Amino acid sequence: MAMFLARSLLQRRSPQLIRWKSSFPQAALKNDVSARAAAELELPPFDYSPAPYSGPSGDEILAKRREFLNPSLLHLYKNPVNVVEGKKQYLFDEKGRRYLDAFGGIATVCCGHCHPDVVDAIINQTKRLQHSTVLYLNHAIADFAQALASKLPGNLKVVFFTNSGTEANELAIMIARLYAGCHDIISLRNAYHGNAAGTMGATAQSIWKFNVVQSGVHHVVNPDPYRGIFGSDGEKYARDVQDVINFGTSGNVAAFISEAIQGVGGIVELAPGYLPAAYSMVKKAGGLCIADEVQAGFGRTGSHFWGFESHGVVPDIVTMAKGIGNGIPLGAVVTTPEIAEVLTRRCYFNTFGGNPVCTAAGLAVLKVIEKEKLQENALLVGSYLKERLTALKDKYELIGDVRGRGLMLGVELVTDRELKTPAKAETLHVMDQMKELGVLIGKGGYYGNVFRITPPLCFTKEDADFLADAMDLTLSRM
């Protein structure tokens, strides 16, 4: 009943009454969502109660972080949430309050928090063998490699396990350089591929790059349908790839690396037709094509298991992490036997790559995705949520764009739709107010003005309604 009344109220509110002004922060703070407003929305019913919490408070944890942890660590919200427990698509704070997790640990929790099948796999393997080394035999790593290879097209069947997406992309770039006998890498502007030596070079946002040597990477025009110069014409953007090959290299390149949907860059879908054209140009220049599936993989986009599949291409190397382990530190590089052979020229070794506990968890994740039809759910619920968010775009001028696939969605806020002026302050305000209503959401994009919606794939239509209603209510009060 409460939700119905709230929706009725919002539907009657005229969007013409809303004006966006440069004095936003001062004006908006007067209209913060109050406890009464929060009560107008109710989270979907959930039959679970968290265990009583007796640990340190959020303030105490924050004080310890400031004293003992890396000073570069960030946290979301003015008053960060002390997360003490998770179940399926929900998180609980120290006081037992439930939140809808619409960020999924940055597109990592795909099966849902603490999924019993994944937890059991981790516990059972830990009881038997927590770690040895890949220098000995153990079935966990081989079983998972076989299952993972079965999910990939063509001859992509040789798996190297890593501990993260950054590490996976580092290895993929090195493999490509060895195979091609060339150093030059082509990456997209606005891309994010990690924060180590090679991946920081491939990353193309200054906010993620330190002033250290980053050689051999060329960044081409981003095929961004919303902000790009050619709109949705992918083939026109791809011409820049050929220009870079012709005028920025010897005519040969090692590899082209890209995400199918840029995650950190603000859930940017690549313009249709771009990847086939770019792949063709790179292959003619002797290079390999690397698909970064760290965020878009494992059914998150709904329509396909891997993001690159929606573009009708088959890469030479696929990198993955995040959803691969539902939160366990795990990543992988998958390529062909021919390409994989280059690592036998020297001794390549990774102490924890293929750890039995991590690979047991990874295998359990694949089984859960299939058993619970999470890819299908991502398509169904994600399409429904995108419709709800698109309706909000029609209602509020502050929303400049709604994009993405499945449960990898982005909502970009702008103060001027024609100029596409980033609404950074407004984005932070809406995030904070949605948190007060019970929704945890991410943000990204170079300007920090894009909501990143990447929840666990067990998200329901009721959850989608709650998220959209919370955003609607927050925008209506600005």
Short mmCIF file of all heavy atoms in Angstrom, two decimals, residues 130-134 141 160-164 167 328-331 348-359:
data_model
loop_
_atom_site.label_atom_id
_atom_site.label_comp_id
_atom_site.label_asym_id
_atom_site.label_seq_id
_atom_site.Cartn_x
_atom_site.Cartn_y
_atom_site.Cartn_z
N GLN A 130 43.74 -26.80 1.27
CA GLN A 130 43.60 -25.36 1.09
C GLN A 130 44.55 -24.84 0.02
O GLN A 130 44.19 -23.98 -0.78
CB GLN A 130 43.86 -24.64 2.41
CG GLN A 130 43.53 -23.16 2.38
CD GLN A 130 43.64 -22.53 3.75
OE1 GLN A 130 43.89 -23.20 4.73
NE2 GLN A 130 43.43 -21.23 3.82
N HIS A 131 45.76 -25.38 0.00
CA HIS A 131 46.73 -24.97 -1.02
C HIS A 131 47.88 -25.98 -1.05
O HIS A 131 48.26 -26.53 -0.03
CB HIS A 131 47.29 -23.58 -0.73
CG HIS A 131 48.25 -23.11 -1.79
ND1 HIS A 131 47.84 -22.74 -3.05
CD2 HIS A 131 49.60 -22.98 -1.80
CE1 HIS A 131 48.88 -22.38 -3.78
NE2 HIS A 131 49.97 -22.53 -3.04
N SER A 132 48.40 -26.21 -2.22
CA SER A 132 49.65 -26.95 -2.35
C SER A 132 50.49 -26.19 -3.35
O SER A 132 51.16 -25.22 -3.02
CB SER A 132 49.39 -28.39 -2.79
OG SER A 132 48.66 -28.43 -4.01
N THR A 133 50.42 -26.55 -4.61
CA THR A 133 51.07 -25.86 -5.71
C THR A 133 50.65 -26.56 -6.99
O THR A 133 50.33 -27.76 -6.97
CB THR A 133 52.60 -25.88 -5.60
OG1 THR A 133 53.16 -25.44 -6.85
CG2 THR A 133 53.12 -27.28 -5.32
N VAL A 134 50.66 -25.84 -8.09
CA VAL A 134 50.32 -26.47 -9.37
C VAL A 134 51.43 -27.40 -9.84
O VAL A 134 51.28 -28.09 -10.84
CB VAL A 134 50.03 -25.41 -10.45
CG1 VAL A 134 48.74 -24.67 -10.15
CG2 VAL A 134 51.20 -24.43 -10.61
N ILE A 141 41.62 -27.64 -10.24
CA ILE A 141 42.02 -26.70 -11.29
C ILE A 141 41.69 -27.25 -12.67
O ILE A 141 41.22 -26.53 -13.55
CB ILE A 141 43.53 -26.36 -11.18
CG1 ILE A 141 43.93 -25.36 -12.27
CG2 ILE A 141 44.40 -27.60 -11.24
CD1 ILE A 141 45.36 -24.85 -12.13
N PHE A 160 44.79 -20.05 -18.35
CA PHE A 160 45.78 -19.65 -17.35
C PHE A 160 45.01 -18.96 -16.22
O PHE A 160 44.31 -17.98 -16.46
CB PHE A 160 46.78 -18.65 -17.93
CG PHE A 160 47.62 -19.18 -19.05
CD1 PHE A 160 47.20 -19.07 -20.37
CD2 PHE A 160 48.85 -19.78 -18.81
CE1 PHE A 160 47.97 -19.53 -21.42
CE2 PHE A 160 49.63 -20.25 -19.84
CZ PHE A 160 49.20 -20.13 -21.16
N PHE A 161 45.15 -19.44 -15.00
CA PHE A 161 44.45 -18.82 -13.88
C PHE A 161 45.31 -17.75 -13.22
O PHE A 161 46.53 -17.90 -13.07
CB PHE A 161 44.02 -19.87 -12.86
CG PHE A 161 42.88 -20.72 -13.33
CD1 PHE A 161 43.07 -22.08 -13.56
CD2 PHE A 161 41.63 -20.17 -13.55
CE1 PHE A 161 42.02 -22.86 -14.01
CE2 PHE A 161 40.58 -20.94 -14.01
CZ PHE A 161 40.77 -22.29 -14.23
N THR A 162 44.66 -16.68 -12.81
CA THR A 162 45.31 -15.56 -12.13
C THR A 162 44.51 -15.24 -10.87
O THR A 162 43.59 -15.96 -10.51
CB THR A 162 45.37 -14.33 -13.05
OG1 THR A 162 44.04 -13.84 -13.29
CG2 THR A 162 46.04 -14.66 -14.38
N ASN A 163 44.86 -14.13 -10.24
CA ASN A 163 44.20 -13.74 -9.00
C ASN A 163 43.28 -12.53 -9.15
O ASN A 163 42.55 -12.19 -8.23
CB ASN A 163 45.25 -13.41 -7.93
CG ASN A 163 46.23 -14.55 -7.72
OD1 ASN A 163 45.86 -15.59 -7.22
ND2 ASN A 163 47.47 -14.36 -8.13
N SER A 164 43.31 -11.88 -10.32
CA SER A 164 42.51 -10.67 -10.51
C SER A 164 42.39 -10.35 -11.98
O SER A 164 43.08 -10.93 -12.82
CB SER A 164 43.15 -9.48 -9.79
OG SER A 164 44.36 -9.11 -10.44
N GLU A 167 45.67 -8.68 -13.25
CA GLU A 167 46.69 -9.68 -13.53
C GLU A 167 46.39 -10.45 -14.82
O GLU A 167 47.30 -10.77 -15.60
CB GLU A 167 46.79 -10.64 -12.35
CG GLU A 167 48.04 -11.48 -12.34
CD GLU A 167 48.13 -12.36 -11.11
OE1 GLU A 167 47.52 -13.44 -11.12
OE2 GLU A 167 48.77 -11.95 -10.13
N ILE A 328 35.47 -14.49 -4.71
CA ILE A 328 36.76 -15.11 -4.44
C ILE A 328 37.81 -14.49 -5.35
O ILE A 328 37.54 -14.25 -6.54
CB ILE A 328 36.67 -16.65 -4.69
CG1 ILE A 328 35.89 -17.32 -3.57
CG2 ILE A 328 38.04 -17.27 -4.86
CD1 ILE A 328 36.67 -17.41 -2.26
N PRO A 329 39.02 -14.21 -4.86
CA PRO A 329 40.07 -13.65 -5.73
C PRO A 329 40.46 -14.64 -6.82
O PRO A 329 41.15 -15.62 -6.57
CB PRO A 329 41.24 -13.41 -4.77
CG PRO A 329 40.63 -13.38 -3.41
CD PRO A 329 39.46 -14.31 -3.47
N LEU A 330 39.99 -14.38 -8.03
CA LEU A 330 40.18 -15.33 -9.11
C LEU A 330 40.04 -14.60 -10.45
O LEU A 330 39.18 -13.74 -10.62
CB LEU A 330 39.12 -16.43 -9.02
CG LEU A 330 39.14 -17.55 -10.06
CD1 LEU A 330 40.44 -18.34 -10.01
CD2 LEU A 330 37.94 -18.49 -9.83
N GLY A 331 40.90 -14.93 -11.37
CA GLY A 331 40.83 -14.40 -12.73
C GLY A 331 41.35 -15.46 -13.69
O GLY A 331 41.85 -16.50 -13.26
N TYR A 348 57.05 -19.71 -16.96
CA TYR A 348 55.96 -18.88 -16.44
C TYR A 348 55.30 -19.60 -15.27
O TYR A 348 54.95 -20.78 -15.38
CB TYR A 348 54.91 -18.58 -17.51
CG TYR A 348 53.71 -17.84 -16.93
CD1 TYR A 348 53.81 -16.48 -16.66
CD2 TYR A 348 52.55 -18.50 -16.59
CE1 TYR A 348 52.76 -15.79 -16.08
CE2 TYR A 348 51.49 -17.82 -16.01
CZ TYR A 348 51.60 -16.48 -15.75
OH TYR A 348 50.55 -15.80 -15.16
N PHE A 349 55.11 -18.89 -14.17
CA PHE A 349 54.58 -19.54 -12.97
C PHE A 349 53.77 -18.55 -12.16
O PHE A 349 54.09 -17.36 -12.11
CB PHE A 349 55.74 -20.09 -12.12
CG PHE A 349 55.29 -20.90 -10.93
CD1 PHE A 349 54.84 -22.20 -11.08
CD2 PHE A 349 55.31 -20.35 -9.65
CE1 PHE A 349 54.43 -22.95 -9.98
CE2 PHE A 349 54.89 -21.09 -8.56
CZ PHE A 349 54.47 -22.40 -8.72
N ASN A 350 52.70 -19.03 -11.53
CA ASN A 350 51.87 -18.20 -10.66
C ASN A 350 51.53 -19.03 -9.43
O ASN A 350 50.81 -20.02 -9.51
CB ASN A 350 50.59 -17.80 -11.41
CG ASN A 350 49.75 -16.80 -10.64
OD1 ASN A 350 49.56 -16.94 -9.44
ND2 ASN A 350 49.23 -15.79 -11.33
N THR A 351 52.02 -18.62 -8.28
CA THR A 351 51.87 -19.41 -7.05
C THR A 351 50.41 -19.69 -6.72
O THR A 351 50.03 -20.81 -6.38
CB THR A 351 52.53 -18.69 -5.86
OG1 THR A 351 53.92 -18.53 -6.13
CG2 THR A 351 52.35 -19.49 -4.58
N PHE A 352 49.56 -18.66 -6.81
CA PHE A 352 48.17 -18.82 -6.41
C PHE A 352 47.21 -18.98 -7.59
O PHE A 352 46.02 -19.21 -7.39
CB PHE A 352 47.73 -17.63 -5.55
CG PHE A 352 48.46 -17.55 -4.25
CD1 PHE A 352 49.46 -16.62 -4.06
CD2 PHE A 352 48.16 -18.43 -3.22
CE1 PHE A 352 50.15 -16.54 -2.87
CE2 PHE A 352 48.84 -18.36 -2.02
CZ PHE A 352 49.84 -17.42 -1.83
N GLY A 353 47.69 -18.83 -8.82
CA GLY A 353 46.83 -19.02 -9.98
C GLY A 353 46.44 -20.48 -10.10
O GLY A 353 47.26 -21.33 -10.43
N GLY A 354 45.17 -20.78 -9.84
CA GLY A 354 44.73 -22.16 -9.86
C GLY A 354 44.67 -22.77 -8.48
O GLY A 354 44.57 -24.00 -8.33
N ASN A 355 44.70 -21.93 -7.46
CA ASN A 355 44.52 -22.41 -6.09
C ASN A 355 43.27 -23.29 -6.00
O ASN A 355 42.23 -22.94 -6.55
CB ASN A 355 44.39 -21.21 -5.15
CG ASN A 355 43.96 -21.59 -3.75
OD1 ASN A 355 42.77 -21.70 -3.50
ND2 ASN A 355 44.91 -21.78 -2.87
N PRO A 356 43.34 -24.46 -5.33
CA PRO A 356 42.20 -25.38 -5.34
C PRO A 356 40.92 -24.81 -4.73
O PRO A 356 39.83 -25.12 -5.21
CB PRO A 356 42.71 -26.58 -4.54
CG PRO A 356 43.91 -26.10 -3.80
CD PRO A 356 44.50 -25.02 -4.63
N VAL A 357 41.05 -23.97 -3.71
CA VAL A 357 39.85 -23.39 -3.11
C VAL A 357 39.18 -22.42 -4.09
O VAL A 357 37.96 -22.45 -4.29
CB VAL A 357 40.19 -22.66 -1.79
CG1 VAL A 357 38.95 -21.95 -1.24
CG2 VAL A 357 40.73 -23.64 -0.76
N CYS A 358 39.99 -21.59 -4.74
CA CYS A 358 39.45 -20.61 -5.69
C CYS A 358 38.82 -21.29 -6.90
O CYS A 358 37.74 -20.90 -7.36
CB CYS A 358 40.54 -19.66 -6.14
SG CYS A 358 41.16 -18.57 -4.84
N THR A 359 39.49 -22.31 -7.43
CA THR A 359 38.94 -22.97 -8.62
C THR A 359 37.72 -23.82 -8.29
O THR A 359 36.82 -23.97 -9.12
CB THR A 359 40.03 -23.81 -9.32
OG1 THR A 359 40.70 -24.64 -8.37
CG2 THR A 359 41.05 -22.92 -9.99
#
